[in-house]
Amino acid sequence: MSVNTVSTTRITVLPHPDLCPEGLAFEARRGRKLVDELLAQGIAIEHACEKVCACSTCHVHLRVGADAVTPADDDEEDQLGSAWGLDAQSRLSCCVRVGEVELVVELPRHTRNHAREA
Ligand code: FES
């Protein structure tokens, strides 16, 4: 009999009208990029630069747990500067690794791409 030894951490996604209308809570694999764990759950968050910290479309707000993940580096801070709806809990989800602390994620109403289209 095999035992699942993958460590996981609870992620709660607050409701978003388009991407996650009911909200969602799931167990994310530690060490993985937050954007990949969101995509794996069917949340179609944008990732225009293919997750290399070269756009701002994977922007999220970490409403709980922001202080428990590795702080943004200079490259991430530069990209965040052009994110729609930036606030003190803003992060790029391709730059955040799932750690040991539970996260509560709010998806911004728009991305920079959507804001341009509006
Ligand atoms: S996907 Fe482009 S910065 Fe994260």
Side-chain angles (χ1 to χ4, degrees), residues 37-116:
E37 295 302 275
L38 295 171
L39 289 166
Q41 294 297 318
I43 296 174
I45 186 167
E46 289 192 45
H47 48 285
C49 74
E50 290 302 328
K51 313 170 210 168
V52 295
C53 193
C55 70
S56 63
T57 60
C58 69
H59 172 216
V60 297
H61 305 282
L62 297 184
R63 295 305 184 207
V64 173
D67 294 340
V69 296
T70 304
D73 63 15
D74 289 345
D75 288 343
E76 184 181 353
E77 292 286 359
D78 286 348
Q79 293 301 333
L80 274 170
S82 58
W84 187 91
L86 186 71
D87 69 18
Q89 296 164 326
S90 289
R91 294 296 304 266
L92 297 179
S93 59
C94 70
C95 299
V96 173
R97 297 273 177 183
V98 177
E100 296 181 3
V101 173
E102 181 174 343
L103 300 176
V104 175
V105 176
E106 181 177 356
L107 304 167
R109 183 63 72 101
H110 303 287
T111 68
R112 187 173 55 175
N113 287 355
H114 284 150
R116 279 188 181 151

